[in-house]
Amino acid sequence: MIVEDEPFVALSLVDALSELGFDVAGCFGDVSAAMDFIGREHIDGALLDINLGSERIDPVADLLAQRSCPFIFTTGFGLSDIPAAYADRAILQKPFGTADLVSMLDKVFGAVGH
């Protein structure tokens, strides 16, 4: 699952993940849609943009953490923007390239392209 409010970034991530062999269950631009999806579907992992316009991703991260679902934060802001409760989580600093994405996916999910 991807939660990203910038359409170009979201589309680029969907394409990159698909090329790496991942099935993208859904791509959402706001907290409400992401929360609704998580409530209905099982997901294996997520990429979460920390700031979605005026919203923060915290409620989505909280729900995923409760379900022991791994996730990676993405942010164009500083690392100080990471929710304090998740300071130990994986972070991809924007802009990032495919090599950075692959490395982080391998670190968090264990294998790229499954």
Side-chain angles (χ1 to χ4, degrees), residues 20-104:
L20 292 169
F22 288 92
D23 293 323
V24 178
C27 189
F28 307 95
D30 62 71
V31 167
S32 176
M35 296 287 285
D36 183 52
F37 185 77
I38 295 166
R40 292 189 327 263
E41 304 289 333
H42 170 78
I43 60 169
D44 296 321
L47 293 175
L48 308 176
D49 185 10
I50 292 176
N51 290 298
L52 305 168
S54 62
E55 294 182 296
R56 289 201 30 102
I57 199 67
D58 301 43
V60 175
D62 292 342
L63 184 55
L64 292 173
Q66 288 171 8
R67 294 179 178 210
S68 299
C69 180
F71 56 87
I72 299 168
F73 287 118
T74 63
T75 183
F77 296 97
L79 300 181
S80 63
D81 209 35
I82 303 299
Y86 302 109
D88 62 335
R89 293 287 179 149
I91 303 159
L92 272 171
Q93 187 75 37
K94 294 178 186 175
F96 53 84
T98 302
D100 297 324
L101 177 61
V102 168
S103 176
M104 190 61 69

